[in-house]
Amino acid sequence: MMIEDEVPNERVTMDGVQIAKNITEGLKTEIERLQNRFSTTSKPKLLCINVGNRIESRTYTSNKQKACEKIGGLLEIINFEETATYEQIAQTIEQANKDDSVNGILVQLPLPKSLNECSILDLISEEKDVDGLTSINIGRLTTKGRSTTFYPCAPLAAVLLLKNYGIEISGKHAVVIGRSNLVGIPLLMMLQKENATVTLCHTYTHNLREFTRNADIIAVAVGKPGFLKEDMVKEGCTVIDFGINVVPDNSEKGFHLTGDVDYNSVSQTANYISPVPGGVGPMTVAILLSNLVLSWKQTLRL
Ligand SMILES: Nc1nc(=O)c2c([nH]1)NC[C@@H]1CN(c3ccc(C(=O)N[C@@H](CCC(=O)O)C(=O)O)cc3)C=[N+]21
């Protein structure tokens, strides 16, 4: 009989599409139930603000729109030219803040360099900040004893992927690579709240490999295709790939996405790995919708 240590560990590719589907099916049922209970035809409505012409932003927005309509919600897209001014965008956000039919407001990032992202995000009313990116919501996340309604979608997607696969976070060493406002920083806070020991690595980190080889969980959000290689990871670890690198191709869309992890090699050594596409991305959309439904529910109770 083999002793337990000799049993080869199974390698698992995490299925973000399936879990996202479970989440959105639950949301659809919940919306119908509440519409019946409150005898209302009100629907959760998300306003997406896009500035400029990045092709991938259009794809994400249309993915969100399809998913939102599937659960019985509405998604309105407002497109601005690359040259739009702060005042024009501010006016749209302020109007949406006052509009009772709008439950969530999302400004697609990154914005053109001429615009200040932080000051634009901070115009969004905290009750409609379904992305969880305003100063107030990020501040709540980073303080002990305060609770947040809207967690940033991509980091929460990662935590839910881990939980769905029964991967223990508490007491584990998690290494987060990248310190963006959208992923690295909020993920650091969330993993720490789950009782992980978290190391935040970035461009100035010396000997990155020393950190990643000692990590139980590695989250990569650096924007460099194939950045995390097999020789950087420990046997049996978990790897979450946030990469959304655009690779132009001859498809109808004109591009495909590739992650920050060298999937083919790292999947030989990691026990759990989230793929791109099909991992964090679809989950991010599902959680955005879940935040939207939360916001909508808060207005129904009024
Ligand atoms: N304010 C703001 N909030 C965001 O949540 C936000 C943002 N800005 N800026 C850009 C990133 C990126 N993002 C994705 C959403 C869906 C997929 C997605 O659906 N991915 C699929 C398929 C993609 C495809 O169709 O090729 C997948 O990975 O399987 C990916 C990435 C949200 N972001």
Side-chain angles (χ1 to χ4, degrees), residues 23-233:
I23 295 173
T24 50
E25 277 167 7
L27 293 174
K28 184 171 194 278
T29 315
E30 194 176 11
I31 292 171
E32 284 163 4
R33 184 177 62 82
L34 288 165
Q35 284 171 333
N36 290 334
R37 187 166 126 206
F38 290 91
S39 306
T40 175
T41 53
S42 160
K43 292 174 170 191
K45 180 174 166 184
L46 178 63
L47 185 73
C48 273
I49 298 172
N50 251 333
V51 187
N53 293 311
R54 298 172 74 97
I55 45 168
E56 74 276 22
S57 292
R58 306 244 154 174
T59 305
Y60 305 148
T61 308
S62 85
N63 285 0
K64 285 171 198 163
Q65 190 166 35
K66 275 180 241 152
C68 189
E69 283 167 3
K70 223 168 162 180
I71 64 163
L74 296 169
L75 190 146
E76 187 187 331
I77 303 170
I78 297 187
N79 285 312
F80 283 99
E81 300 287 331
E82 185 86 22
T83 52
T85 62
Y86 172 87
E87 286 73 21
Q88 287 172 313
I89 298 167
Q91 199 193 6
T92 300
I93 295 175
E94 275 154 10
Q95 203 180 323
N97 281 340
K98 283 185 254 157
D99 182 344
D100 289 338
S101 75
V102 174
N103 306 104
I105 304 169
L106 180 148
V107 176
Q108 185 74 25
L109 302 176
L111 288 172
K113 294 261 179 299
S114 55
L115 295 165
N116 182 321
E117 269 177 19
C118 292
S119 49
I120 288 187
L121 289 174
D122 274 340
L123 295 167
I124 300 172
S125 134
E126 60 172 282
E127 297 89 22
K128 300 189 182 187
D129 175 26
V130 288
D131 242 355
L133 298 176
T134 57
S135 296
I136 290 182
N137 284 321
I138 284 289
R140 286 185 177 139
L141 186 64
T142 57
T143 323
K144 205 168 175 175
R146 288 202 172 94
S147 60
T148 326
T149 313
F150 305 123
Y151 289 91
C153 304
L156 182 56
V159 172
L160 288 188
L161 269 180
L162 295 172
K163 290 191 171 172
N164 259 277
Y165 282 90
I167 296 161
E168 194 158 303
I169 306 174
S170 179
K172 299 294 179 186
H173 181 204
V175 166
V176 175
I177 316 175
R179 49 180 161 175
S180 66
N181 289 337
L182 200 56
V183 180
I185 299 291
L187 181 62
L188 163 79
M189 298 314 303
M190 287 165 66
L191 289 172
Q192 161 277 123
K193 275 197 184 165
E194 298 287 335
N195 299 323
T197 303
V198 193
T199 306
L200 181 66
C201 297
H202 46 75
T203 5
Y204 288 81
T205 300
H206 290 225
N207 300 322
L208 175 65
R209 201 166 159 275
E210 300 299 310
F211 292 98
T212 54
R213 284 189 63 87
N214 281 304
D216 303 304
I217 299 166
I218 307 173
V220 199
V222 295
K224 292 181 185 146
F227 178 82
L228 190 80
K229 302 267 193 295
E230 189 180 17
D231 68 348
M232 296 167 78
V233 311

